Amino acid sequence: YYGGDCASLNIAALWKKYKGTEEPPAAFGHNRDWNVDLIPKFIMSNGKLVKMLIKSKVTKYLEWKVVDGTYVFQVSKGLMGGKKAGIHKVPSNDSEALKSSLMGLWEKKRCRNFFKYVESFNEEDPKTFGGIDPTSDPFAALIKKFGLEANTIDFVGHAIALYPSDAFISQPCLGTIKKIKLYMDSHGLYGDSPFIYPVYGLGGLPEGFSRLSAVYGGTYMLNQDIDEIVLDESGQVSGVRAGDQVAKCKMVIADPSYVKSMDKVKKTGQIVRCICIMDHPVPNTKGCQSVQVIIPQKQVGRNSDIYITMLSNVHCVCAQNFYIAMISANVETSSPETEIQPALDILGPVIESFVEIYDTYEPTCDGVNDKVFVTSSYDSTSHFESASEEVLSLYKRIFGEDLDLNVEYEEEEG
């Protein structure tokens, strides 16, 4: 199959990858009903990836549907001094904050006031800063200003601003304010959720670009393994070799799997991913047919978050009456499968599960000199925000300028 670590597989290919020669149960239906993404990531409706896709005009080849909801796991105080744990829908504005089950009565009001502050914040108008210097004061200053509780900080930072750790608390608050505003702006843009996902899965993205490439005379070399990236006498890339054939080129853009032998990447850690096939949606989500659940690090005593994405036949990724959930997390101990148990507890019973440990890499050079541009491995997050930033950085290294994303949607789509 094509796509490497981030391929989209039918049910037969999925079984072959994880179970060898064993055939999938007949109850799972036809291959054509399954498009299982090995690394599913949701897309922010008003985020940079959407703008890049519109800029490239590849959106004409794609169909999207809204993700039903985003939830966050929280451990809170129960009756008689005990604790209760569960998932709650993430509020995205001041009115939703007042209805949220994440907070008590007085905290709801404090959170509403914080959301109103963010909604009215204008980077160009110091009158909206409320006595805060967003370029130097840390987010901790806003926490103090609005008296936000620890659990509120958790869901705001991890499920709205989408930070994978608590480092944002000590960083200048402007970046966090922008991320929260992006979440707010994305919510309601296409439906009652800030995230969208391609119908038939993420495999539609490379398929769309292949069609666009054909329009401009591009060539796809199929059914070929790359044996070598060829450099000329000056040390710059001149082609890629497959067997005894060499395709000439002026630059190569590749993920780490193609360049491990060239000493161009270094290992940064590991990620545990678990694909779960279920016959029910995620419990306590009011039957959502697609959902994201974020488990902030503090809630389960970790150094980084755990992520869950779940999709159904609504997005045409599995047969009817089945659901595909993916759990992902950074490996922090010698027992990766034990680390994701909190996520498995949220999902409830699963029919089949497939666990894989991925090594992660990052490039050791920027690629400007030899024209071999290498991306980092996909991280454990359930969204494309960090990957989008890397694409923009890659574009600047290649072309020497920032990609202009200030385009009118109607202009590009027309």
Side-chain angles (χ1 to χ4, degrees):
Y1 58 82
Y2 299 107
D5 289 346
C6 51
S8 183
L9 306 182
N10 60 38
I11 195 69
L14 183 70
W15 240 254
K16 183 177 181 180
K17 175 177 173 62
Y18 290 104
K19 293 179 176 288
T21 58
E22 184 179 329
E23 293 291 325
F28 288 155
H30 300 288
N31 265 337
R32 64 175 179 269
D33 295 328
W34 295 82
N35 299 282
V36 182
D37 292 317
L38 297 183
I39 306 181
K41 286 181 177 287
F42 292 160
I43 299 169
M44 189 76 78
S45 298
N46 200 35
K48 292 176 180 176
L49 179 56
V50 168
K51 293 175 181 177
M52 283 186 270
L53 294 174
I54 292 172
K55 179 79 174 181
S56 69
K57 299 185 179 180
V58 77
T59 47
K60 68 181 72 175
Y61 303 110
L62 297 168
E63 182 181 354
W64 306 87
K65 284 192 176 179
V66 174
V67 175
D68 287 343
T70 295
Y71 285 72
V72 65
F73 177 82
Q74 185 183 88
V75 179
S76 57
K77 294 179 180 178
L79 298 175
M80 306 300 290
K83 293 183 178 181
K84 58 180 182 179
I87 62 173
H88 307 262
K89 193 174 188 300
V90 177
S92 60
N93 53 47
D94 59 298
S95 61
E96 286 192 357
L98 289 176
K99 304 173 186 176
S100 175
S101 60
L102 279 164
M103 300 165 285
L105 178 62
W106 299 113
E107 183 65 5
K108 287 180 181 180
K109 292 183 177 180
R110 289 189 287 267
C111 185
R112 179 193 63 178
N113 291 337
F114 170 72
F115 280 161
K116 282 187 173 181
Y117 169 83
V118 173
E119 286 176 347
S120 63
F121 181 89
N122 182 347
E123 190 177 356
E124 305 298 325
D125 184 3
K127 293 179 182 178
T128 66
F129 293 177
I132 296 290
D133 185 344
T135 60
S136 61
D137 288 342
F139 189 72
L142 280 180
I143 294 172
K144 183 178 180 180
K145 177 180 175 66
F146 290 95
L148 301 179
E149 295 178 353
N151 276 348
T152 304
I153 299 165
D154 245 13
F155 82 75
V156 167
H158 294 259
I160 296 180
L162 300 176
Y163 286 108
S165 72
D166 282 343
F168 71 95
I169 295 175
S170 59
Q171 296 169 351
C173 61
L174 179 59
T176 302
I177 292 172
K178 286 182 174 181
K179 286 178 177 291
I180 297 171
K181 286 181 75 70
L182 171 61
Y183 191 98
M184 291 176 168
D185 292 343
S186 296
H187 188 275
L189 190 61
Y190 299 114
D192 191 28
S193 168
F195 292 100
I196 57 177
Y197 201 76
V199 177
Y200 303 109
L202 293 178
L205 294 179
E207 182 180 344
F209 276 106
S210 70
R211 293 179 178 181
L212 190 65
S213 173
V215 170
Y216 289 95
T219 301
Y220 269 66
M221 189 164 64
L222 302 178
N223 198 27
Q224 290 282 355
D225 291 326
I226 299 301
D227 297 312
E228 181 187 6
I229 294 176
V230 182
L231 304 180
D232 62 20
E233 299 80 6
S234 65
Q236 284 201 350
V237 67
S238 61
V240 292
R241 181 176 64 82
D244 58 357
Q245 301 180 80
V246 176
K248 298 292 185 180
C249 65
K250 295 181 179 179
M251 73 173 70
V252 167
I253 304 171
D255 72 27
S257 64
Y258 291 96
V259 297
K260 290 177 186 177
S261 62
M262 298 180 66
D263 195 31
K264 296 184 71 64
V265 293
K266 63 179 180 181
K267 184 178 176 180
T268 56
Q270 290 184 310
I271 292 173
V272 54
R273 293 189 171 97
C274 178
I275 300 171
C276 299
I277 300 178
M278 309 185 298
D279 59 4
H280 59 85
V282 175
N284 304 312
T285 61
K286 299 181 179 179
C288 283
Q289 298 297 290
S290 54
V291 71
Q292 171 183 242
V293 182
I294 296 177
I295 306 175
Q297 58 179 81
K298 277 185 181 177
Q299 303 294 326
V300 287
R302 285 173 51 83
N303 298 317
S304 57
D305 297 350
I306 303 174
Y307 300 89
I308 303 172
T309 60
M310 189 217 70
L311 294 158
S312 66
N313 71 301
V314 171
H315 281 84
C316 301
V317 298
C318 60
Q320 194 167 3
N321 300 321
F322 290 99
Y323 300 83
I324 297 289
M326 167 65 84
I327 301 168
S328 59
N330 292 337
V331 174
E332 298 181 359
T333 72
S334 58
S335 303
E337 292 187 48
T338 303
E339 295 183 51
I340 61 173
Q341 190 59 48
L344 290 168
D345 292 340
I346 289 172
L347 293 182
V350 301
I351 301 172
E352 290 282 353
S353 62
F354 311 92
V355 179
E356 188 167 0
I357 310 299
Y358 293 77
D359 292 334
T360 58
Y361 299 88
E362 67 179 16
T364 55
C365 57
D366 61 15
V368 172
N369 291 328
D370 61 7
K371 304 303 179 186
V372 178
F373 299 95
V374 184
T375 64
S376 301
S377 304
Y378 273 139
D379 61 19
S380 61
T381 60
S382 51
H383 49 79
F384 268 112
E385 289 309 286
S386 56
S388 298
E389 292 293 341
E390 183 170 24
V391 171
L392 292 174
S393 171
L394 194 66
Y395 182 94
K396 186 171 185 177
R397 297 202 305 272
I398 294 172
F399 296 105
E401 60 184 16
D402 292 322
L403 176 63
D404 179 15
L405 296 179
N406 296 315
V407 293
E408 293 294 333
Y409 281 42
E410 295 81 2
E411 175 188 336
E412 288 298 319
E413 289 178 345

